Amino acid sequence: MSKTVIIYSFHTQKSKKVAEKVIEAFGTENIQAVNAEELTSDVFEENDNFILSAPTWFDGELPNYWDEFVPELEEMDLKNKTFAVFGLGDQKGYPENYCDAIGILVEILESCGANIVGKIPAEGYTFESSRAQRGNMFVGLPLDQENQGKLTAERVTKWVAQLKNEMK
Ligand SMILES: Cc1cc2nc3c(=O)[nH]c(=O)nc-3n(C[C@H](O)[C@H](O)[C@H](O)COP(=O)(O)O)c2cc1C
């Protein structure tokens, strides 16, 4: 498997902590961290495997740092590149938009031809609707530090093991 790039905001508290868990589970020598707030298109051109952190903000939207990069992202050719997306959300506070940002980002990546991995069964969460859900699956890994923080470590470990099988 070639080196994986993980992209998250270095200025968040919760997403940063979870991203560090992902890095630890992956093995630091196999993964390179990039700050989502200083992202350039070279990062996507020069690498093949990516893990993106997309917490949901503003009632079902991407955080500002992703929103600002979306116009550039939409123009990219991401064929033969593999992406997995995780995202923090709050299923009790925002049950109608739970982890929507995962779904928004995955839809954009798919429109650029990217291969999406790290899909998991939509079980063990309580919410009304989510753009991250398709049928009985989530298109990435939703995490909820507000209501299910105790499950995060186990969810991350399991997901990273899945990614190691699914990424080339
Ligand atoms: C103003 C605001 C809006 C939010 N909107 C949503 C939402 O629509 N859906 C959701 O699942 N979580 C929502 N959340 C919860 C955040 O995604 C959650 O707190 C997450 O842990 C934030 O991660 P971060 O601080 O690392 O960016 C919102 C939080 C705030 C403060």
Side-chain angles (χ1 to χ4, degrees), residues 69-83:
F69 194 72
V70 162
E72 217 171 318
L73 187 62
E74 283 174 331
E75 295 305 312
M76 286 184 201
D77 178 0
L78 300 176
K79 276 188 214 85
N80 302 318
K81 296 188 186 281
T82 299
F83 288 77

Side-chain angles (χ1 to χ4, degrees), residues 12 14-15 55-60 88-90 94 97-99 146:
T12 49
K14 292 183 205 154
S15 293
T56 303
W57 277 87
F58 316 119
D59 295 350
L88 273 56
D90 172 354
Y94 303 88
N97 303 93
Y98 181 52
C99 283
E146 268 90 354

Side-chain angles (χ1 to χ4, degrees), residues 6-32:
I6 181 167
I7 304 172
Y8 61 96
S9 161
F10 287 10
H11 294 110
T12 49
Q13 302 266 320
K14 292 183 205 154
S15 293
K16 185 175 173 215
K17 261 204 181 134
V18 172
E20 285 165 357
K21 281 193 209 295
V22 173
I23 292 169
E24 199 188 323
F26 229 88
T28 45
E29 66 285 4
N30 301 322
I31 194 159
Q32 185 196 341

Side-chain angles (χ1 to χ4, degrees), residues 35-106:
N35 187 356
E37 283 159 66
E38 291 167 13
L39 199 51
T40 58
S41 53
D42 312 3
V43 173
F44 290 94
E45 280 154 24
E46 291 164 9
N47 296 281
D48 295 323
N49 289 319
F50 303 88
I51 299 174
L52 310 186
S53 160
T56 303
W57 277 87
F58 316 119
D59 295 350
E61 307 220 8
L62 292 171
N64 289 336
Y65 47 88
W66 274 121
D67 229 14
E68 282 161 20
F69 194 72
V70 162
E72 217 171 318
L73 187 62
E74 283 174 331
E75 295 305 312
M76 286 184 201
D77 178 0
L78 300 176
K79 276 188 214 85
N80 302 318
K81 296 188 186 281
T82 299
F83 288 77
V85 181
F86 72 92
L88 273 56
D90 172 354
Q91 61 201 291
K92 262 198 194 152
Y94 303 88
E96 289 168 11
N97 303 93
Y98 181 52
C99 283
D100 276 3
I102 295 174
I104 296 169
L105 208 49
V106 164

Side-chain angles (χ1 to χ4, degrees), residues 114-144:
N115 176 36
I116 308 296
V117 298
K119 297 174 187 172
I120 65 155
E123 287 164 6
Y125 302 80
T126 305
F127 61 97
E128 285 164 33
S129 66
S130 171
R131 274 178 82 173
Q133 187 176 10
R134 279 190 206 158
N136 55 6
M137 298 293 283
F138 283 121
V139 293
L141 176 68
L143 296 164
D144 185 339

